[in-house]
Amino acid sequence: MGRPKYSCHHHLPLLLPVILFLGVLWISPGYASAADEHVKDFYIIYLGDRPDNGDETIKTHISLLSSLNISREEAQERMAYSYTKALNAFAAKLSSHEAKKMMEMEEVLGVFRNQYRQLHTTKSWDFVGLPLTAKRHLKAERDVIIGVLDTGITPDSESFQDHGLGPPPAKWKGSCGPFKNFTGCNNKIIGAKYFKRDGTVPVGEILSPIDIDGHGTHTSSTVAGALVPNASLYGIANGTARGAVPSARVAMYKVCWAKSGCADMDILAGFEAAIHDGVDIISISIGGPIADYSSDSISVGSFHAVRKGILTVASAGNDGPSSGTVTNHEPWIMTVAASGIDRTFKSQIDLGNGKSLSGMGISMFDPKAKSYPLVSGVDAAKSKDDKFLARYCFSDSLDRKKVKGRVMLCRMGGGGVESTVKSYGGAGAIVVSDQYLDNAQIFMAPATTVNSSIGDAIYRYINSTRSPSAVIQKTRQVTVPAPFVASFSSRGPNPGSTRLLKPDIAAPGIDILAAFTLKRSLTGLDGDTQFSKFTILSGTSMACPHAAGVAAYVKSFHPDWSPAAIKSAIITSARPISTRVNKDAEFAYGGGQVNPRRAASPGLVYDMDDISYIQFLCGEGYNATTLAPLVGSKSVSCSSIVPGLGHDSLNYPTIQLTLRSAKASTMAVFRRTVTNVGPPSSVYKATVRAPEGVEITVEPMSLSFAKASQKRSFKVVVKAKQMSPGKIVSGLLVWRSPRHSVRSPIVIYSPSFSDNNL
Ligand SMILES: *[C@@H]1O[C@H](CO)[C@@H](O)[C@H](O)[C@H]1NC(C)=O
Ligand SMILES: *[C@@H]1O[C@H](CO)[C@@H](O)[C@H](O)[C@H]1NC(C)=O
Ligand SMILES: *[C@@H]1O[C@H](CO)[C@@H](O)[C@H](O)[C@H]1NC(C)=O
Ligand SMILES: *[C@@H]1O[C@H](CO)[C@@H](O)[C@H](O)[C@H]1NC(C)=O
Ligand SMILES: *[C@@H]1O[C@H](CO)[C@@H](O)[C@H](O)[C@H]1NC(C)=O
Ligand SMILES: *[C@@H]1O[C@H](CO)[C@@H](O)[C@H](O)[C@H]1NC(C)=O
Ligand SMILES: *[C@@H]1O[C@H](CO)[C@@H](O)[C@H](O)[C@H]1NC(C)=O
């Protein structure tokens, strides 16, 4: 997974097979095996505590690099970044041998090879209960700055107009260009920077924060886009587009680039700049190879952010529904799963026998004829030998003459089937797939996706008649039951820790309409002539900015709350999602669906400071060496820190107990402290729900508060009998007062044999 590749999170599920086919092409020549002594990769080198003088620090970095027996000039050339603002580290090109030598140096805390990570609205805000008319603290909202690490931004988009906004808040230290092809910032986009130092500039890209992909424009407008009436994708999903906090400000840190992806060293630089510039919330829809808490740039960057009081909100990943796939699972991050809203997009397929079937996806084309001849890929193969690949309608396997003017029935083999069919003069494509049918793909030609049972029915129809025919109608918006969790949304258990529930929360991430770039066609496929200022995308990439927007909304009511308090408010106020539709339960959706207005008034919060996170890491087996890149020093040892309390050493708003396989039963004591942020004088009573085979007790069962900010502690004892491997059951603790209910899921999980972290 460490190889350079680029793929937007929204397309990932649908393009997965394409990646398999094209992946090889995306390995850029500079990044061959690190085993080769002469090949130089970029490495990130973490050093000890930061001296105050930035220039001095840069000099130290150069001398340290020169000590590898290379000239100062060469050292300067090899240096990609000197990080001196939020951390003390540098990124430089090294051979693997040189990297090893660096690691042995006294001053060096850790050396990690630079890897590449991937990118992982309108109605959605009404759906989660944040209508246009919701109560707002407009003055405070205008002071909230959201830093977005993504593919760049489109300053010309209507979503980023700054009507009614004054100059940036006084605390803002960021900047904005001038950059090539970038019209500049205003009072909505108050900062823009780009980070790319690996020496490559992919075709079509330009060294500027301009967004040529659309992903960053989409996520930024979802968090904080201004109101844009009558926004739609060619009339589909029409309505007023807006972000969660339309008056908040956006700062874009472009760290992802076409083809090459998002490099660790650029991500780290993005975090550092965002922290230094003074953002309040960071939204990052990027994920990558699952790494441990101290070697992952998002983990390290977000840890430095949380120490400065900045909450990082990140996408859980698009590798579901397989279990144990959740990424960005650090306790200081808010990890977001993707859920569906009550709207989807379907196309009717009318067959020549008068039957009508329903397909998924967005096809904006009105058919010109009443019907077209229908043929399966196999029947349009060039030769007998081509039949296998022709089932998938791969271009080289098809006979152009047999495609022209016809609707093709193809199995899903990769993205862009309709592009092939169109280029051969075909009239449309019916794509048969059983994966990811809960989100709508946009097609660049008449096309729709059906599941295999419908696909088989169409195959049978083709066989049943001499001249089969079909037509694919233009897509219509359809109402569906919701919320549910997207099939592609990455699932727990947390591969980084058996004692921490991840993801934290679910937010809308299916078929989300938001701003886009006109620099790229809607599909990016060859021959696509569709361009739109708004488009519909799906992915945990889209869910993340929804949750970041809710965090900003909460922040606008409580500017002084800690990241942990904001996260707690969002998790404990979430709307439950039914376990009946999601067998993965909390491993799919964490606390449930975001509930913005209730999150602004949670009653109680589970608060934490940096020390809590270090206590947690100590409990996870981290030591002075492995903690060093996070804390910026080798001198923080777990023995010098008061151990955290209870089973997970963490004051987290959720609870996870992983059973020990050889035992008849497992018992654990969880210690928690809540802070009163509701009415000064209030009494909360505990309600507990224990699933079968599990005993849960809470002590005390009642908590009385006499003043604001008062803290009260309690313990939760969970005793669970052995369950079959892989099983997850859900318990619940709710603290209720007349005005608030503070909900904490309690998950009991029996590890499956395939959980390699156990
Ligand atoms: C330093 O580099 C020089 C010339 O490149 C070489 O002759 C010498 O052996 C190197 N010394 C060490 C300690 O690697
Ligand atoms: C940048 O601007 C130039 C000149 O207008 C244009 O030719 C080029 O395509 C632009 N590049 C990008 C990536 O937008
Ligand atoms: C709304 O948008 C649609 C499609 O873009 C357009 O045809 C229509 O004229 C617009 N209506 C208004 C009132 O602007
Ligand atoms: C969307 O467009 C349709 C057709 O033009 C119109 O009837 C409907 O009111 C629009 N919906 C919204 C929310 O603007
Ligand atoms: C295929 O889709 C149809 C219509 O949406 C549905 O009734 C059927 O259960 C689906 N079949 C499978 C195997 O998912
Ligand atoms: C359609 O007919 C072909 C051969 O004529 C056969 O291989 C295929 O299994 C049939 N498909 C269905 C769904 O009946
Ligand atoms: C710290 O932990 C790492 C990884 O678990 C281990 O390799 C190393 O030996 C430990 N160091 C000390 C000083 O215990």
Side-chain angles (χ1 to χ4, degrees):
M1 282 284 277
R3 66 173 193 260
K5 73 179 186 189
Y6 180 71
S7 80
C8 302
H9 243 185
H10 47 275
H11 291 131
L12 192 57
L14 295 161
L15 288 185
L16 225 46
V18 182
I19 290 164
L20 296 181
F21 282 97
L22 301 184
V24 175
L25 301 178
W26 291 350
I27 298 174
S28 86
Y31 303 95
S33 155
D36 182 343
E37 176 48 35
H38 302 291
V39 171
K40 290 188 176 64
D41 261 321
F42 286 99
Y43 286 83
I44 298 168
I45 296 99
Y46 291 97
L47 304 169
D49 290 332
R50 184 174 68 89
D52 288 330
N53 187 330
D55 289 342
E56 275 310 307
T57 314
I58 295 173
K59 279 190 199 150
T60 324
H61 294 168
I62 298 279
S63 336
L64 214 61
L65 194 52
S66 314
S67 68
L68 288 173
N69 193 18
I70 55 180
S71 71
R72 289 191 83 81
E73 291 70 34
E74 193 182 344
Q76 255 151 5
E77 238 166 63
R78 291 222 216 154
M79 187 75 73
Y81 285 104
S82 268
Y83 307 95
T84 63
K85 293 197 185 90
L87 59 156
N88 183 8
F90 64 90
K93 221 173 210 185
L94 302 176
S95 69
S96 59
H97 179 68
E98 287 168 338
K100 249 185 232 130
K101 275 170 92 176
M102 283 255 95
M103 200 127 60
E104 286 156 11
M105 290 181 192
E106 184 64 23
E107 313 78 327
V108 172
L109 304 181
V111 177
F112 299 98
R113 195 162 65 85
N114 177 54
Q115 296 197 63
Y116 287 78
R117 290 167 200 282
Q118 308 142 226
L119 289 164
H120 280 292
T121 246
T122 67
K123 186 170 165 47
S124 51
W125 289 119
D126 291 312
F127 182 74
V128 299
L130 187 61
L132 206 45
T133 52
K135 184 179 153 205
R136 290 183 183 277
H137 269 193
L138 274 186
K139 195 173 168 299
E141 191 175 308
R142 290 187 196 112
D143 284 345
V144 177
I145 306 165
I146 298 133
V148 183
L149 273 64
D150 213 300
T151 61
I153 198 163
T154 304
D156 318 296
S157 167
E158 290 154 272
S159 291
F160 303 121
Q161 284 178 358
D162 62 356
H163 296 313
L165 289 177
K171 65 181 176 186
W172 180 241
K173 287 200 277 177
S175 62
C176 181
F179 303 106
K180 276 194 262 173
N181 293 44
F182 195 80
T183 47
C185 290
N186 56 14
N187 288 328
K188 164 59 78 177
I189 305 176
I190 60 168
K193 289 180 176 163
Y194 70 84
F195 301 90
K196 178 143 184 81
R197 296 274 177 90
D198 67 1
T200 66
V201 182
V203 180
E205 276 283 11
I206 177 166
L207 289 175
S208 153
I210 199 78
D211 184 13
I212 65 156
D213 178 87
H215 189 274
T217 301
H218 203 275
T219 55
S220 309
S221 63
T222 300
V223 191
L227 269 58
V228 183
N230 195 32
S232 74
L233 172 62
Y234 290 124
I236 289 179
N238 61 330
T240 298
R242 64 187 159 99
V245 276
S247 300
R249 326 291 182 126
V250 175
M252 171 54 63
Y253 300 88
K254 178 170 176 175
V255 297
C256 297
W257 301 81
K259 306 286 189 294
S260 62
C262 329
D264 276 329
M265 60 182 184
D266 298 330
I267 293 173
L268 204 54
F271 268 105
E272 195 183 50
I275 295 166
H276 176 257
D277 290 350
V279 306
D280 295 299
I281 308 276
I282 290 175
S283 178
I284 178 164
S285 294
I286 300 169
I290 290 171
D292 66 78
Y293 295 134
S294 66
S295 69
D296 176 327
S297 60
I298 299 177
S299 176
V300 174
S302 58
F303 188 78
H304 284 91
V306 83
R307 288 175 115 186
K308 292 275 158 59
I310 305 163
L311 174 64
T312 297
V313 183
S315 47
N318 293 348
D319 296 317
S322 310
S323 76
T325 47
V326 61
T327 64
N328 298 324
H329 44 61
E330 288 71 13
W332 49 89
I333 286 180
M334 183 157 79
T335 315
V336 191
S339 58
I341 58 172
D342 58 354
R343 165 185 83 188
T344 191
F345 301 95
K346 295 197 170 175
S347 290
Q348 188 172 310
I349 306 164
D350 296 323
L351 299 179
N353 61 4
K355 285 213 172 118
S356 289
L357 304 166
S358 168
M360 275 291 296
I362 299 168
S363 167
M364 264 90 65
F365 307 92
D366 264 320
K368 292 196 187 68
K370 266 210 143 100
S371 79
Y372 300 91
L374 172 67
V375 66
S376 78
V378 184
D379 295 335
K382 253 200 296 208
S383 73
K384 225 173 159 187
D385 292 344
D386 289 316
K387 277 189 190 282
F388 180 76
L389 288 179
R391 291 154 60 91
Y392 302 96
C393 294
F394 284 122
S395 54
D396 290 346
S397 63
L398 294 176
D399 181 345
R400 194 176 281 266
K401 291 193 296 291
K402 292 181 185 155
V403 176
K404 193 161 191 260
R406 292 175 170 85
V407 168
M408 303 296 299
L409 180 63
C410 312
R411 293 202 182 276
M412 166 84 86
V417 167
E418 82 278 16
S419 172
T420 303
V421 169
K422 188 186 179 195
S423 71
Y424 281 14
I430 300 169
V431 185
V432 184
S433 166
D434 279 320
Q435 272 190 309
Y436 309 116
L437 282 170
D438 54 9
N439 61 334
Q441 184 187 0
I442 297 175
F443 296 105
M444 54 80 69
T448 193
T449 308
V450 297
N451 66 24
S452 57
S453 57
I454 295 182
D456 287 344
I458 303 176
Y459 277 113
R460 278 198 302 275
Y461 161 66
I462 291 177
N463 277 9
S464 74
T465 173
R466 209 176 265 271
S467 51
S469 66
V471 63
I472 302 164
Q473 303 293 352
K474 186 175 169 178
T475 295
R476 281 175 315 140
Q477 187 169 317
V478 179
T479 301
V480 291
F484 56 93
V485 175
S487 55
F488 59 74
S489 187
S490 286
R491 305 297 206 260
N494 182 350
S497 168
T498 58
R499 299 179 298 170
L500 177 62
L501 177 66
K502 289 284 170 170
D504 290 307
I505 195 82
I510 299 182
D511 302 340
I512 304 301
L513 182 82
F516 201 58
T517 175
L518 292 174
K519 290 186 177 292
R520 181 177 179 270
S521 71
L522 291 181
T523 63
L525 292 168
D526 278 351
D528 189 2
T529 53
Q530 307 176 103
F531 291 84
S532 173
K533 289 193 237 171
F534 288 85
T535 197
I536 290 167
L537 299 176
S538 298
T540 52
S541 278
M542 281 66 240
C544 168
H546 274 91
V550 176
Y553 181 71
V554 174
K555 178 107 186 162
S556 73
F557 286 83
H558 311 286
D560 56 341
W561 278 13
S562 72
I566 294 174
K567 184 162 83 167
S568 169
I570 294 171
I571 293 175
T572 62
S573 65
R575 194 168 285 137
I577 296 182
S578 168
T579 47
R580 271 186 317 229
V581 289
N582 291 280
K583 67 177 173 54
D584 304 314
E586 282 81 5
F587 284 171
Y589 48 71
Q593 171 101 333
V594 288
N595 192 354
R597 283 188 294 178
R598 276 208 45 218
S601 170
L604 304 174
V605 292
Y606 294 78
D607 205 355
M608 270 185 283
D609 57 19
D610 322 342
I611 297 295
S612 329
Y613 301 122
I614 297 169
Q615 288 170 327
F616 167 79
L617 291 171
C618 289
E620 289 292 300
Y622 281 64
N623 57 35
T625 315
T626 47
L627 280 176
L630 284 171
V631 300
S633 155
K634 265 185 196 165
S635 61
V636 177
S637 73
C638 289
S639 56
S640 67
I641 284 183
V642 185
L645 292 176
H647 179 73
D648 52 7
S649 325
L650 207 57
N651 195 34
Y652 217 71
T654 61
I655 286 176
Q656 176 170 326
L657 175 63
T658 302
L659 301 184
R660 289 206 249 141
S661 47
K663 296 233 173 151
S665 72
T666 307
M667 193 196 71
V669 180
F670 297 84
R671 305 257 174 195
R672 294 291 188 268
T673 299
V674 284
T675 307
N676 182 22
V677 295
S681 168
S682 39
V683 177
Y684 285 81
K685 296 220 173 331
T687 311
V688 175
R689 195 185 71 207
E692 210 186 305
V694 180
E695 257 176 56
I696 301 174
T697 55
V698 175
E699 208 189 300
M701 288 287 281
S702 171
L703 302 174
S704 299
F705 298 88
K707 52 181 198 249
S709 306
Q710 200 169 21
K711 291 180 188 292
R712 287 283 180 253
S713 297
F714 61 92
K715 69 177 185 183
V716 180
V717 182
V718 183
K719 198 172 159 194
K721 289 197 183 120
Q722 197 47 247
M723 310 186 298
S724 51
K727 190 165 177 191
I728 165 180
V729 294
S730 308
L732 188 64
L733 162 64
V734 187
W735 286 108
R736 273 185 228 281
S737 75
R739 285 173 58 185
H740 293 97
S741 72
V742 187
R743 210 177 150 271
S744 287
I746 300 172
V747 166
I748 300 98
Y749 172 63
S750 173
S752 66
F753 301 117
S754 60
D755 288 350
N756 53 15
N757 59 320
L758 296 166

